[in-house]
């Protein structure tokens, strides 16, 4: 049976009354008996058989026990917070909210840096066992104290490299000369504020001020250094925490170990974040545009069950080539040689060059061996022959002088390229100008600007390694690094294993995927194989009938002939009919158009002329600003579904591409592609449950004006298949979702309107949060979700589970047995999960590789539970998460993160296009919805919108908020698919 767009949703079978009364709670999840379940790691945990009567709205603060306290660990109490108050004792209400009568209230918010996260409820048992190796190497640590000193270096805000030189010089000087405070010591330093020594320095508790003079280019630099004892760092306490006998990890000890391990590499290599790089010697991978690939290694110290681990991985990133600026100009402007440019740069050339060179460090070549370094702040509009500055001559007279004349008279240098602009360096008000030909790019500068599509493609080809090859490279790295020969590692008594840790994982059972059919007897089920399944011979669970549709071709007629459009239309209709989404008849409109300016008038004409218009298929001629305008007009102005397709896919149709288009079109019109087979779903589906996905996307590095975009999506049915989206612009680079309470409230209202049920449980998958942000995100965002619930109804407190999804980490898993390796890339099977050996010693986290690795080495996603009112077991949450990775509508394969988290990313990404202003610089924007190959979706169903957009930064927050507001008709469907 076909579902018309905007029609009633399919019936929901939760098997429960439609509404809870105020203050009541959902029934408990019934679990099978836990026979054979291993005891949880760490202190005993309460294990209630039902949901807590009133889950606390915010995590409670926990004060770690004093050193030398009782050997049994922390005081008894709930595993999710501090000591409980008297039964039923009300606490203070949430700030800004009245305390609902009769509802137990939570204590005040915790100190943000002292939050006790949920403890692991035991380890998972589901799935077949698989032997794995992880790129974690065991560390042996002594049971001693380390001495921590606070360092203040003046002048402040020097680069870490300079600070390290200062401390290195200081240690050498004051080991030999009085006061010999470092005699017999080998301190380590983090480049900012923290120094650690094995023995106590003879300075007591007082501050000690010392002076250091570093020799420099042309002049020496003087620094003042202040040392002050900060405290002891106990490695014995760390050992207790690793064994699960302390509730909180002593992060000061982990930080100290990290500084020890990083001290020598930081002095030897070019550090970038937690990775180290060295210039290319026996390889060369140019990326174009003056950039090249550097290889290096990532290193971080991580706590795990019973032991500390050193995580080592191969790493690669883009650096700027050390070369003359004239060569950089040639690469940036795609010229063959500098001799081509015989005239001054055009405005567009200068703007492009300025964008690339601004902020880079250069060194001069016209002063002999003294190569002073400067940072570029601008590029002059005038050439060196015309750019003037006030030159103070030897007789004291000041004259206006051109840069070319100055170099001729002062340095006896006649410029070869006086028609080219100058670099303005240093502080902008100082008016220091340098001709391009006397400047070189300083070596070792990482490229933080966004790579172009071509550069990204080149980078992937240069860095992709099959899993077995990557494993070999990591092992070679560790042997070559010789950590145990590092004199600083030896000084502090550490020892690092040279073998990867071997762990036992499990391959989770795959869910069955249910499709539709005209009768119950022919409803087909697909069983994924290696994370992939086939839709051939099956029909959408709920297909939409398309009667009124249009085609707008923005490719030129010679690029896309009418015969190609006719063939594309007939092939699309054939595939869509087979899929159970019949496209009836010919398009009501099919015309050519040119440029983004024609999008809005054409779409308005279509909507006005053809009542009930369901879909506009837009043919794009490659990268073009038309894409952003199509999405802006369709999604925000008119509420019309649009589907873009590249002209190359129209001229040469394939069944795969057309199937992917149908997957996207069906959900954009309110259909349901497939669902999880109801009988295989976890028990949490027995009550109404809403799945939320949240993400915040930030502008690219180097951009200090554009806003961050927060997106939250929520499931709208019991499958879960349909999702509704909310999106907000917020402060630049703010990770906390500022308006989360209002966004969640909107989604809860939509869920109720769609299903006539209130969610008994809220399960949030939060993407894009680093470990250092856990306390802040939990503190603000859990409170916001609770607040949204209480604003809807006094006493409405559904159980919340808050899970952070992390993709940006360096843990990799490898099959220990060759027979387990999958495909050409030799990766671990889809569904591989690990919750022992390399996971947190106490907290509830796990790794899950839910997708099949196609190219390179698979990266498992890391899940960390920050809050869990619903008391999930490890098996329940791992299987639920894996099943949600099979519900992504754009492809017939399991993806790397749960669908709600993926959708939140798509919504935020789409909002970037909505922010693109029609009349502003969009020359390099645009994209298509087909032909983009993502790591999770190799069948061409991606958006192809991986370009940075010319979002105007001159608009107010209110204007940008209005720009991302989606039309009410669009909100009813998954427009972002």
């Amino acid at each position: 049976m076909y579902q018309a767009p905007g029609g009633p949703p399919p019936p929901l079978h939760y098997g429960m009354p439609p509404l809870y009364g105020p203050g009541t709670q959902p029934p408990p999840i019934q679990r099978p008996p836990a026979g054979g379940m291993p005891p949880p790691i760490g202190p005993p945990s309460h294990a209630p058989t039902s949901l807590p009567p009133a889950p606390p709205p915010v995590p409670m603060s926990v004060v770690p026990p004093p050193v030398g306290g009782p050997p049994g660990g922390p005081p008894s109490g709930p595993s999710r917070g501090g000591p409980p108050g008297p039964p039923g004792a009300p606490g203070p209400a949430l700030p800004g909210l009245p305390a609902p009568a009769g509802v137990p209230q939570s204590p005040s918010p915790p100190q943000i840096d002292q939050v006790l996260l949920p403890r692991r409820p035991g380890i998972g048992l589901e799935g077949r066992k698989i032997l794995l190796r992880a790129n974690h190497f065991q560390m042996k640590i002594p049971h001693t104290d380390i001495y921590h000193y606070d360092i203040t270096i003046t002048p402040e805000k020097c680069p870490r490299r300079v600070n390290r030189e200062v401390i290195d010089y200081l240690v050498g000087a004051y080991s030999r000369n009085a006061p010999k405070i470092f005699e017999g010591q080998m301190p380590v330093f983090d480049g900012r504020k923290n120094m650690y020594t094995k023995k106590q320095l003879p300075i007591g508790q007082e501050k000690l001020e010392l002076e250091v003079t570093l020799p420099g280019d042309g002049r020496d630099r003087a620094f003042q250094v202040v040392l002050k004892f900060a405290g002891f760092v106990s490695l014995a306490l760390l050992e207790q925490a690793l064994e699960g006998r302390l509730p909180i990890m002593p992060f000061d000890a982990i930080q100290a170990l990290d500084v020890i391990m990083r001290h020598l590499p930081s002095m030897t290599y070019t550090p970038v974040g937690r990775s180290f790089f060295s210039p290319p010697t026996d390889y060369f991978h140019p990326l174009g545009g003056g950039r090249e690939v550097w290889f290096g290694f990532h290193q971080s110290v991580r706590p795990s069950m019973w032991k500390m681990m050193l995580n080592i991985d191969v790493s690669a990133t883009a650096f700027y080539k050390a070369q003359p600026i004239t060569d950089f100009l040639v690469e940036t402007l795609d010229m063959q040689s500098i001799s081509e440019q015989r005239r001054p740069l055009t405005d567009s050339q200068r703007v492009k060059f300025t964008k690339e060179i601004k902020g880079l460090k250069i060194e001069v070549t016209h002063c002999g061996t003294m190569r002073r370094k400067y940072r570029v702040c601008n590029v002059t509009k005038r050439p060196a022959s015309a750019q003037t500055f006030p030159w103070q001559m030897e007789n004291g007279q000041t004259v206006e002088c051109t840069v070319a004349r100055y170099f001729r008279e002062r340095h006896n240098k006649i410029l070869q390229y006086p028609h080219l602009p100058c670099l303005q360096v240093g502080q902008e008000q100082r008016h220091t100008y340098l001709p391009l030909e006397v400047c070189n790019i300083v070596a070792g500068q990482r490229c933080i600007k966004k790579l172009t599509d071509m550069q990204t493609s080149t980078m992937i080809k240069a860095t992709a390694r099959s899993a077995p090859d990557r494993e070999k490279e990591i092992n070679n790295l560790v042997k070559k690094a010789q950590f145990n020969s590092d004199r600083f590692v030896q000084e502090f008594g550490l020892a690092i294993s040279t073998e990867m840790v071997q762990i036992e994982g499990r391959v989770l059972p795959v869910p069955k995927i249910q499709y539709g059919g005209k009768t119950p007897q022919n409803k087909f089920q697909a069983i994924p194989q290696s994370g992939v399944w086939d839709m051939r011979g099956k029909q959408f669970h709920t297909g939409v009938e398309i009667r009124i549709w249009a085609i707008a071709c923005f490719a030129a007629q010679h690029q896309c002939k009418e015969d190609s459009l006719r063939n594309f239309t007939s092939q699309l209709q054939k595939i869509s009919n087979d899929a159970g989404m019949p496209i009836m008849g010919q398009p009501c409109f099919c015309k050519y158009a040119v440029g983004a300016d024609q999008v809005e008038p054409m779409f308005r004409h279509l909507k006005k002329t053809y009542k009930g218009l369901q879909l506009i298929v837009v043919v794009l001629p490659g990268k073009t600003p038309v894409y952003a305008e199509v999405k802006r007009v369709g999604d925000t102005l008119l509420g019309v579904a649009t589907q873009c397709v590249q002209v190359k896919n129209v001229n040469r149709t394939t069944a795969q591409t057309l199937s992917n288009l149908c997957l996207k079109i069906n959900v954009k019109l309110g259909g349901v592609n497939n669902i999880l087979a109801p009988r295989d779903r976890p028990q949490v589906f027995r009550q109404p449950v809403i799945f939320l996905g949240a993400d915040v996307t930030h502008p690219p590095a180097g951009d200090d004006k554009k806003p961050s975009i927060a997106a939250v999506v929520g499931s709208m049915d019991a499958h879960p298949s349909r999702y509704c989206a909310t999106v907000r612009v917020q402060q630049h680079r703010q990770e906390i979702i500022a308006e989360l309470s209002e966004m969640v409230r909107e989604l809860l209202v939509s869920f109720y309107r769609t299903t006539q049920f209130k969610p008994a449980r809220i399960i949030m998958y939060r993407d894009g949060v680093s470990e250092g942000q856990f306390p802040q995100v939990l503190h603000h965002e859990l409170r916001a979700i609770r607040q949204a619930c209480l604003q809807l109804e006094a006493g409405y407190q559904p159980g919340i589970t808050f899970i952070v999804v992390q993709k940006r980490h360096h843990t990799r898993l490898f099959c220990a047995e060759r027979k387990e390796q999958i495909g050409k890339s030799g990766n671990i099977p889809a569904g591989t999960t690990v919750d022992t050996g390399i996971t947190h010693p106490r907290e509830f986290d796990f790794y899950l590789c839910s997708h099949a690795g196609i190219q390179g080495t698979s990266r498992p996603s890391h899940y960390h539970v920050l809050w869990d009112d619903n008391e999930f077991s490890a098996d329940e949450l791992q299987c639920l998460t894996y099943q949600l990775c099979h519900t992504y509508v754009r492809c017939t394969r399991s993806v790397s993160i749960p669908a709600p988290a993926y959708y939140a990313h798509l919504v935020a990404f789409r909002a970037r296009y909505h922010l693109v202003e029609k009349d502003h610089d969009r020359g390099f924007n645009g994209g298509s919805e087909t032909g983009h190959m993502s790591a999770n979706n190799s069948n061409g169903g991606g958006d192809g919108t991986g370009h940075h957009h010319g979002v105007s930064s001159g608009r107010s927050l209110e204007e940008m908020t209005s720009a991302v507001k989606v039309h009410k008709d669009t909100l009813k469907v998954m427009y972002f698919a």
Side-chain angles (χ1 to χ4, degrees):
M1 179 176 172
Y2 297 125
Q3 169 72 42
L12 295 148
H13 302 289
Y14 281 116
M16 59 166 294
L19 284 175
Y20 289 116
T24 59
Q25 294 295 319
I29 299 176
Q30 296 300 316
R31 292 196 184 81
M37 177 71 76
I41 308 295
S45 167
H46 71 304
T49 54
S50 63
L51 290 171
V58 291
M60 291 185 276
S61 61
V62 174
V63 181
V67 177
S76 61
S79 66
R80 297 183 200 324
L94 284 167
L97 276 178
V103 179
Q105 298 298 309
S106 246
S108 299
Q111 295 178 34
I112 286 181
D113 59 347
Q114 290 190 329
V115 175
L116 189 62
L117 300 182
R119 209 176 61 197
R120 189 180 304 283
I123 59 172
L125 301 172
E126 280 272 342
R128 69 174 180 85
K129 292 179 180 177
I130 182 172
L131 206 56
L132 303 167
R133 283 189 290 269
N135 59 337
H136 289 224
F137 298 82
Q138 190 171 340
M139 298 176 68
K140 288 185 179 174
I141 55 177
H143 295 253
T144 57
D145 287 341
I146 293 173
Y147 298 87
H148 179 200
Y149 292 87
D150 186 69
I151 303 290
T152 305
I153 299 175
T154 311
E156 296 178 1
K157 294 185 179 176
C158 285
R160 284 179 189 259
R161 175 184 52 78
V162 174
N163 287 345
R164 289 184 203 282
E165 286 178 30
V166 170
I167 296 301
D168 193 44
Y169 196 85
L170 179 93
V171 171
Y174 291 100
S175 295
R176 299 183 300 270
N177 310 319
K180 295 184 179 180
I181 57 171
F182 295 109
E183 189 173 19
Q185 292 262 45
M186 293 179 68
V188 294
F189 177 55
D190 70 350
R192 283 279 180 257
K193 295 280 293 177
N194 302 292
M195 175 190 279
Y196 300 93
T197 61
K198 183 182 179 183
K199 303 172 194 164
Q200 194 162 7
L201 299 179
I203 63 171
Q205 302 285 335
E206 299 301 314
K207 285 183 181 178
L208 179 65
E209 296 185 17
L210 301 168
E211 286 199 6
V212 174
T213 303
L214 288 185
D217 289 337
R219 67 177 190 271
D220 294 345
R221 296 181 67 187
F223 297 87
Q224 282 76 45
V225 181
V226 178
L227 282 82
K228 189 175 190 310
F229 179 66
F232 302 97
V233 175
S234 171
L235 296 184
L237 264 184
L238 176 60
E239 197 75 31
Q240 288 182 41
L242 295 170
E243 292 167 2
R245 291 191 285 138
L246 287 183
I248 289 181
M249 276 286 130
F251 285 108
D252 59 342
I254 295 171
Q255 179 184 334
L257 293 177
D258 200 49
V259 173
I260 294 166
M261 295 303 306
R262 294 175 63 79
H263 184 81
L264 187 59
S266 296
M267 305 284 281
T268 314
Y269 304 106
T270 302
V272 174
R274 294 197 164 272
S275 294
F276 299 99
F277 296 92
S278 53
T281 50
D282 54 351
Y283 65 89
F284 179 49
H285 292 292
L287 293 171
R291 303 167 182 180
E292 63 185 2
V293 181
W294 283 26
F295 287 95
F297 66 95
H298 165 92
Q299 173 186 302
S300 62
V301 170
R302 301 192 60 80
S304 68
M305 292 180 175
W306 306 100
K307 51 203 171 289
M308 289 301 296
M309 292 286 190
L310 187 66
N311 178 206
I312 300 288
D313 191 21
V314 291
S315 196
T317 194
F319 276 76
Y320 289 100
K321 265 197 281 186
Q323 62 180 345
I325 295 289
T326 48
D327 292 349
F328 182 78
L329 176 76
V330 166
E331 288 198 42
T332 302
L333 300 183
D334 296 319
M335 297 189 289
Q336 293 299 314
S337 75
I338 194 68
S339 58
E340 274 184 37
Q341 192 68 36
R342 296 178 182 178
R343 295 183 176 186
L345 299 183
T346 64
D347 282 349
S348 62
Q349 283 179 318
R350 183 180 52 78
V351 166
K352 188 176 180 184
F353 177 59
T354 304
K355 192 176 174 185
E356 292 301 322
I357 195 76
K358 198 171 182 179
L360 290 189
K361 269 189 172 179
I362 55 98
E363 60 184 11
V364 296
T365 60
H366 64 285
C367 297
T369 55
M370 191 177 77
R371 298 208 156 193
R372 289 198 63 180
K373 295 179 175 66
Y374 300 91
R375 196 172 291 280
V376 178
C377 65
N378 214 338
V379 175
T380 61
K381 291 183 179 179
R382 293 186 287 180
S385 58
Q387 180 64 49
T388 61
F389 68 98
W391 181 23
Q392 189 170 11
M393 304 177 76
E394 290 177 6
N395 61 9
Q397 186 182 357
T398 301
V399 296
E400 280 295 312
C401 177
T402 66
V403 173
R405 177 190 161 195
Y406 172 81
F407 270 79
R408 185 175 65 249
E409 295 182 11
R410 180 75 175 79
H411 296 288
N412 197 25
K413 181 176 179 62
I414 297 173
L415 297 183
Q416 277 185 277
Y417 312 108
H419 57 284
L420 293 180
C422 299
L423 300 180
Q424 187 175 357
V425 297
Q427 295 175 338
E428 205 151 352
Q429 62 270 25
R430 294 283 297 273
H431 301 290
T432 307
Y433 304 111
L434 294 167
L436 302 189
E437 61 200 78
V438 302
C439 304
N440 286 349
I441 301 274
V442 172
Q445 295 183 80
R446 182 193 171 210
C447 172
I448 60 169
K449 294 186 174 83
K450 191 171 175 65
L451 299 182
T452 65
D453 287 356
M454 184 61 77
Q455 288 171 340
T456 303
S457 173
T458 307
M459 185 92 173
I460 290 170
K461 284 173 188 168
T463 57
R465 300 282 185 277
S466 69
D469 286 349
R470 193 181 191 109
E471 186 179 7
K472 279 181 202 164
E473 281 191 35
I474 294 168
N475 284 325
N476 290 339
L477 258 174
V478 171
K479 287 184 177 70
K480 197 174 168 184
Q482 295 186 319
F483 292 114
N484 294 322
S485 300
D486 181 330
R487 60 188 186 275
F488 297 97
V489 171
Q490 291 173 346
E491 165 84 354
F492 287 87
L494 307 183
I496 317 299
S497 169
T498 56
E499 300 293 326
M500 282 191 184
V501 67
Q502 193 152 301
I503 50 179
E504 191 179 77
R506 290 167 291 115
V507 181
L508 298 178
V510 296
K512 293 186 181 72
I513 309 300
Q514 185 162 306
Y515 282 89
K518 292 182 179 176
T519 63
Q521 288 74 33
N522 66 357
K523 287 186 184 295
F524 288 99
Q525 287 189 346
I527 301 174
Q529 300 288 331
S530 299
V532 184
W533 64 95
D534 197 343
M535 195 189 148
R536 279 178 296 190
K538 304 174 187 69
Q539 294 196 333
F540 290 139
H541 181 271
T542 311
V544 175
E545 189 175 286
I546 302 173
R547 293 183 173 276
I548 307 171
W549 65 295
I551 295 179
C553 182
F554 283 83
Q557 196 159 355
H558 71 271
Q559 272 184 297
C560 186
K561 295 185 168 60
E562 287 185 28
D563 286 347
S564 297
L565 283 172
R566 284 195 195 95
N567 179 60
F568 169 76
T569 302
S570 69
Q571 293 298 319
L572 179 64
Q573 286 179 311
K574 181 179 181 303
I575 297 285
S576 67
N577 285 338
D578 291 346
M581 183 192 74
I583 299 177
M584 314 299 288
Q586 293 301 305
C588 62
F589 175 97
C590 182
K591 290 200 175 173
Y592 291 90
V594 181
D597 289 340
Q598 291 196 11
V599 173
E600 188 174 334
M602 176 186 274
F603 283 19
R604 285 191 184 279
H605 165 75
L606 289 172
K607 186 169 184 183
K608 185 178 178 183
T609 309
Y610 303 100
K611 299 299 179 190
L613 178 68
Q614 293 167 273
L615 173 73
I616 304 174
V617 175
V618 181
V619 180
L620 296 176
K623 270 202 231 176
T624 166
V626 171
Y627 178 85
E629 185 66 358
V630 164
K631 294 306 174 186
R632 184 185 76 83
V633 175
D635 296 346
T636 68
L637 293 187
L638 304 179
V640 175
T642 57
Q643 178 60 55
C644 294
V645 57
Q646 285 284 2
V647 66
K648 64 182 181 183
N649 293 322
V650 172
N651 289 332
R652 190 179 176 186
T653 59
T654 65
Q656 186 70 72
T657 304
L658 294 171
S659 294
N660 291 334
L661 285 175
C662 292
L663 289 173
K664 290 151 72 68
I665 291 169
N666 192 50
V667 296
K668 285 178 182 180
L669 298 181
V672 174
N673 291 353
N674 53 53
I675 62 170
L676 296 170
R679 288 186 180 180
D680 294 341
R681 293 184 309 182
Q683 305 226 13
V684 70
F685 283 94
R686 291 188 178 181
Q687 297 92 29
V689 56
I690 186 170
F691 294 95
L692 302 180
D695 192 16
V696 179
T697 66
H698 304 291
D703 184 305
D704 58 355
K705 292 178 181 173
K706 295 187 182 75
S708 292
I709 296 176
V712 184
V713 302
S715 58
M716 292 291 129
D717 59 21
H719 300 313
S721 179
R722 289 175 172 160
Y723 284 79
C724 187
T726 57
V727 63
R728 300 288 192 276
V729 291
Q730 59 185 43
Q731 270 186 333
H732 175 81
R733 299 217 166 275
Q734 178 182 322
E735 183 55 50
I736 305 296
I737 301 175
E739 297 182 43
L740 181 63
S741 179
E742 179 62 27
M743 296 166 85
V744 170
R745 186 177 174 279
E746 287 174 22
L747 293 171
L748 290 173
V749 169
S750 296
F751 183 92
Y752 182 74
R753 284 177 179 161
T754 306
T755 67
Q756 297 304 305
F757 288 95
K758 289 193 307 180
R761 309 179 195 282
I762 297 174
I763 299 172
M764 161 77 97
Y765 286 94
R766 175 67 158 93
D767 197 5
V769 179
S770 65
E771 287 172 6
Q773 295 167 322
F774 283 1
Q776 293 91 336
V777 167
L778 184 59
H779 178 82
H780 294 282
E781 296 188 3
L782 180 69
R783 173 186 292 256
I785 297 171
R786 282 269 179 246
Q787 193 172 353
C789 297
L790 291 173
Q791 282 176 342
L792 286 171
E793 181 180 83
Y796 175 48
Q797 293 196 336
I800 297 171
T801 298
F802 195 110
I803 309 146
V804 166
V805 187
Q806 293 174 307
K807 285 285 287 176
R808 293 190 174 185
H809 60 80
H810 280 269
T811 294
R812 299 291 183 273
L813 301 172
F814 306 98
C815 296
E817 297 171 317
R818 192 167 181 177
K819 66 179 182 182
E820 293 283 11
Q821 295 175 2
I822 302 295
K824 290 180 183 176
S825 54
N827 274 301
I828 56 177
T832 300
T833 187
V834 170
D835 60 2
T836 61
I838 57 171
T839 47
H840 197 280
R842 182 188 183 282
E843 294 165 8
F844 189 2
D845 71 325
F846 59 94
Y847 290 93
L848 170 62
C849 183
S850 51
H851 65 291
I854 301 162
Q855 184 181 21
T857 305
S858 294
R859 186 201 312 244
S861 294
H862 184 216
Y863 298 87
H864 210 122
V865 180
L866 302 195
W867 193 259
D868 185 21
D869 292 328
N870 295 310
E871 297 287 350
F872 277 103
S873 71
D875 279 330
E876 284 169 340
L877 191 58
Q878 289 164 15
C879 288
L880 170 65
T881 301
Y882 186 41
Q883 293 201 10
L884 289 175
C885 293
H886 289 76
T887 62
Y888 185 61
V889 295
R890 282 180 159 194
C891 55
T892 55
R893 57 194 309 129
S894 175
V895 292
S896 60
I897 58 176
Y902 215 137
Y903 294 150
H905 176 74
L906 294 182
V907 170
F909 205 72
R910 176 65 61 82
R912 286 262 171 231
Y913 282 106
H914 296 160
L915 278 176
V916 175
E917 284 191 287
K918 186 176 175 183
D919 299 318
H920 282 69
D921 174 26
R922 296 183 301 185
F924 300 102
N925 304 331
S928 73
E929 296 192 48
T930 59
H932 171 62
M933 308 283 271
S934 72
N936 303 319
N937 182 13
S938 67
N939 54 14
D943 244 6
T945 52
H947 318 293
H948 178 54
H949 317 306
V951 183
S952 169
S953 54
R955 287 183 285 176
S956 68
L957 199 63
E958 290 75 19
E959 288 172 313
M960 290 188 285
T961 299
S962 175
V964 300
K965 189 172 182 182
V966 175
H967 193 280
K968 61 181 175 60
D969 292 342
T970 305
L971 272 180
K972 295 174 185 173
V973 295
M974 293 171 65
Y975 68 93
F976 46 84

